[in-house]
Amino acid sequence: MKLEALTQSIGEWLRGTGPESDIVMSSRVRLARNVAHYPFVSRASEQDRAEIERFLRDRIAGSAVGQDLEYIDVGRLEDIDRQFLVERQLISREHAEAQGARGVAIDRMEQVSLMINEEDHLRIQCMHSGLDLKGVWEQIRAVDDQIEKVVPYAFHPRFGYLTACPTNVGTGIRVSVMLHLPALVITRQIDKVFRSLHKISLAVRGLYGEGSQAMGDFYQISNQTTLGRTEEELVEQVGDVVPVLIDYERRAREFLVRETQQNVHDQVSRAYGILRTAQTISAEETMQLLSRVRMGVLLGLIGDVKIADINSLLVRTQPAHLQKLRGVELDTNDRNIERARYLRQHFEGGEGSRASVN
Amino acid sequence: MKCQHCEKQAVFHITELEAGAVRELHLCEDHARTYLNQSEAAAESAAEDEAEGEPAGGALSGPLGVGQTAEELALLDQRSCSMCGITFFEFRNQGRLGCPHDYVQFEKELEPLIANIHGATEHTGRRPSRSAAGLAEGTEELTAVIGLRQQMKESIACEDYEKAKEHRDAIRVIEDRWLGGGNATKGSA
Ligand SMILES: [Zn+2]
Ligand SMILES: [Zn+2]
């Protein structure tokens, strides 16, 4: 089955390559679309949802992009498999937790995913590693063009593409970048940065966190408005602010190395030490520590660890990934023990055994 | 998604506007009831304030922006979409619209809300190309199918099969035109 194959790979967005990938984890664009002839999902009956799912699945399969996509019936998956797709960012948490007929079409590179019956009938998503909003936009626009040829999108001459929530109406576009900003967190400048982002109506969210507290210093910056500007302008709005944030983070990293070298080195080494020796460890702590080690590698304080490996561990130590890798269902306690074992094996086994703390 | 005040599943998703900023609330049934009662109380006191010459504010200046009295709101809340049947009240509670036609049916009411959220009311981005299945003018005609399906169901419920057949045929004509044969709704008339 497709999901088992995914377990062995890591998603495109975690390759750790692409421009500015020391700070920019991934670039993503999503488009919200609805078909004209059915109620929006929250008002659709069970039968409506089944018909919408069948209609979109068939039309997408018959479109020019259909042959590159694999379809997964999300409604029929086990909980753990849905969670697995969420951890890979191929479907949203809301999509995983929704009811009724729904599915997702994914390309082999895990760059493109098309969610059917999320909050809107169709949510097209495209994601690249590193900073590549233009490339992502080009790709998703091409996908949207092909689907539009066979799907009658709900469109209003003045309001644009119609969505279930008025906050998405117009372009239906959400442009976002996932940034790793540990130095801004350590130097306590992050709140200031976020306040200035809010002022120019950009939204900031943490990585997997359900609350407002971002885990592991990973933050997603995205546009808040979707109407009144073109897609290209909105891509630019987010794109323009990224170099500024990269610059802040770089300067904060330089400051840390210059002014507090021993402190930072100590923090990074301790994080690395815990990851290599812990006997039980939570997903949250793992992410926090991996974040610090990632910074350590980038600052040249830890040798022989690859950024791509850390990126991969960030996903593989998530609950569903861990359980699928181990092939058994585990409760929280057992997961924490298994996670610690997985981390120890990883760092002792392969590259990690030769890894040295400088 | 969990309720933001407790561990229960959130079933109400409310979008409020405060000082021009969108606030999303995700609440379980109990907390939603409490919240809505508070809003109503606030609405009443706001209406009272207004009678005493105070500007209305608080919860009422929520989704609708400005200048609505409680009475006007109550009337508006009862209005419903002729296609999917959603009332404006339901939309205000859930923060989610019922169908594409709502943007036509509630255009006047949605406009200030949309202006508040986006600072604009005119889409300037991409449009479905004329050759595409999603021909822009097609939306309204195709969306009418939602209402026809509902009427067909009602006719069947009343055992008026003659009427039901008329509705089914009307649906087929529209779907054939905009969706191209094969993929018509499998309506069980
Ligand atoms: Zn609650
Ligand atoms: Zn409607």
Side-chain angles (χ1 to χ4, degrees):
Chain A
M1 192 199 167
K2 176 84 196 253
L3 284 189
E4 305 309 323
L6 288 183
T7 313
Q8 301 309 318
S9 68
I10 67 164
E12 153 65 23
W13 67 286
L14 285 171
R15 271 192 303 133
T17 58
E20 318 286 1
S21 58
D22 59 329
I23 292 171
V24 184
M25 304 287 289
S26 63
S27 304
R28 167 157 63 161
V29 173
R30 77 114 166 94
L31 297 172
R33 298 286 186 255
N34 288 276
V35 299
H37 58 310
Y38 279 100
F40 294 137
V41 176
S42 69
R43 190 134 188 113
S45 66
E46 216 169 292
Q47 190 190 340
D48 286 338
R49 288 183 201 204
E51 286 176 12
I52 295 162
E53 196 250 358
R54 198 183 318 140
F55 176 80
L56 282 172
R57 190 183 52 196
D58 290 349
R59 292 276 163 131
I60 290 168
S63 76
V65 292
Q67 65 202 36
D68 302 325
L69 301 170
E70 184 136 1
Y71 191 78
I72 297 171
D73 187 339
V74 175
R76 281 171 202 254
L77 288 181
E78 304 273 336
D79 279 346
I80 186 172
D81 289 332
R82 285 198 276 264
Q83 181 58 32
F84 178 83
L85 293 173
V86 172
E87 289 172 4
R88 279 186 111 76
Q89 306 206 351
L90 292 170
I91 67 173
S92 65
R93 196 176 294 280
E94 289 73 20
H95 196 236
E97 290 171 1
Q99 300 293 317
R102 62 199 191 282
V104 64
I106 301 167
D107 80 320
R108 285 176 197 88
M109 301 272 292
E110 291 184 57
Q111 288 183 325
V112 177
S113 86
L114 297 99
M115 275 180 273
I116 298 178
N117 284 346
E118 209 251 20
E119 180 183 300
D120 294 294
H121 295 151
L122 183 64
R123 289 259 172 119
I124 310 173
Q125 172 186 284
C126 185
M127 190 157 50
H128 288 181
S129 188
L131 179 60
D132 184 26
L133 284 174
K134 287 245 160 65
V136 172
W137 166 240
E138 291 302 318
Q139 186 173 9
I140 199 168
R141 192 180 59 180
V143 172
D144 189 44
D145 279 342
Q146 293 307 324
I147 300 202
E148 188 208 69
K149 282 184 184 162
V150 291
V151 174
Y153 288 150
F155 188 87
H156 187 283
R158 197 152 64 92
F159 294 145
Y161 291 96
L162 301 180
T163 53
C165 184
T167 52
N168 296 315
V169 77
T171 55
I173 201 173
R174 194 72 65 204
V175 182
S176 58
V177 285
M178 179 73 71
L179 304 172
H180 184 217
L181 305 172
L184 285 176
V185 173
I186 293 172
T187 57
R188 300 178 195 281
Q189 297 177 80
I190 199 90
D191 287 340
K192 202 176 65 192
V193 170
F194 290 170
R195 274 198 300 276
S196 59
L197 288 177
H198 281 298
K199 270 185 210 148
I200 52 172
S201 68
L202 291 175
V204 182
R205 295 169 81 187
L207 185 47
Y208 298 95
E210 268 166 294
S212 55
Q213 181 63 40
M215 282 193 286
D217 316 320
F218 297 100
Y219 295 91
Q220 192 180 62
I221 316 290
S222 59
N223 63 305
Q224 242 171 349
T225 65
T226 54
L227 183 81
R229 291 200 241 187
T230 66
E231 290 83 355
E232 285 83 0
E233 286 167 339
L234 290 164
V235 169
E236 233 168 72
Q237 187 200 10
V238 176
D240 281 352
V241 79
V242 177
V244 180
L245 294 173
I246 290 174
D247 187 48
Y248 284 160
E249 170 67 17
R250 289 242 164 85
R251 273 195 254 170
R253 287 181 188 183
E254 279 162 25
F255 171 85
L256 285 177
V257 170
R258 200 171 58 236
E259 305 292 331
T260 65
Q261 159 101 43
Q262 262 164 0
N263 264 337
V264 175
H265 202 161
D266 181 61
Q267 273 195 35
V268 163
S269 305
R270 281 167 187 269
Y272 195 28
I274 293 171
L275 288 172
R276 284 186 304 169
T277 56
Q279 300 297 306
T280 170
I281 190 166
S282 70
E284 289 78 16
E285 187 181 4
T286 301
M287 190 171 279
Q288 194 57 46
L289 296 175
L290 283 171
S291 163
R292 289 294 142 91
V293 169
R294 190 176 190 278
M295 182 181 70
V297 173
L298 292 166
L299 293 180
L301 300 172
I302 297 178
D304 286 0
V305 178
K306 286 193 201 122
I307 289 299
D309 281 346
I310 296 175
N311 290 359
S312 146
L313 284 173
L314 281 168
V315 166
R316 289 186 174 176
T317 54
Q318 294 290 311
H321 270 74
L322 197 65
Q323 293 174 79
K324 288 200 81 69
L325 281 166
R326 288 302 190 228
V328 279
E329 287 207 27
L330 303 164
D331 66 18
T332 309
N333 275 337
D334 288 341
R335 278 207 298 273
N336 290 348
I337 292 169
E338 206 47 56
R339 182 176 296 113
R341 185 176 323 195
Y342 183 75
L343 286 164
R344 288 199 310 275
Q345 280 173 354
H346 182 88
F347 285 117
E348 282 161 19
E351 305 262 320
S353 58
R354 278 175 283 116
S356 58
V357 177
N358 293 338
Chain B
M1 183 180 280
K2 276 187 200 143
C3 169
Q4 60 195 58
H5 294 310
C6 70
E7 288 296 296
K8 277 188 247 166
Q9 181 81 8
V11 289
F12 287 86
H13 305 278
I14 303 173
T15 305
E16 287 280 23
L17 277 164
E18 277 179 340
V22 183
R23 186 162 66 113
E24 294 222 36
L25 299 166
H26 306 282
L27 304 168
C28 69
E29 210 164 337
D30 289 341
H31 279 108
R33 198 169 298 126
T34 314
Y35 174 79
L36 293 171
N37 283 339
Q38 278 169 356
S39 302
E40 258 167 53
E44 273 160 34
S45 74
E48 281 164 21
D49 287 348
E50 205 165 37
E52 291 162 21
E54 298 278 336
L60 244 203
S61 60
L64 290 176
V66 279
Q68 300 275 349
T69 67
E71 263 168 53
E72 280 169 345
L73 250 187
L75 276 177
L76 170 60
D77 278 347
Q78 286 164 21
R79 284 191 46 204
S80 62
C81 169
S82 56
M83 295 300 154
C84 72
I86 196 173
T87 62
F88 202 74
F89 180 72
E90 287 173 286
F91 161 63
R92 288 209 304 135
N93 284 344
Q94 299 158 6
R96 302 287 179 271
L97 291 159
C99 80
H101 184 66
D102 299 5
Y103 283 95
V104 177
Q105 187 97 46
F106 303 124
E107 182 168 0
K108 231 177 61 214
E109 292 77 23
L110 285 174
E111 193 165 332
L113 171 66
I114 287 172
N116 255 320
I117 297 170
H118 300 285
T121 55
E122 296 272 344
H123 173 63
T124 57
R126 280 151 63 77
R127 294 176 172 266
S129 64
R130 294 202 144 259
S131 61
L135 199 62
E137 306 88 87
T139 292
E140 265 299 283
E141 203 177 317
L142 198 42
T143 298
V145 163
I146 297 170
L148 286 168
R149 264 192 229 115
Q150 190 54 38
Q151 288 169 25
M152 184 173 78
K153 264 189 211 139
E154 281 160 20
S155 301
I156 294 169
C158 308
E159 301 187 7
D160 187 346
Y161 299 110
E162 213 32 55
K163 257 259 141 31
K165 189 175 167 300
E166 277 171 34
H167 292 316
R168 190 199 56 193
D169 291 345
I171 292 171
R172 286 209 175 140
V173 168
I174 298 173
E175 289 193 333
D176 282 350
R177 173 153 183 226
W178 295 106
L179 305 179
N183 240 313
T185 313
K186 286 144 193 96
S188 44

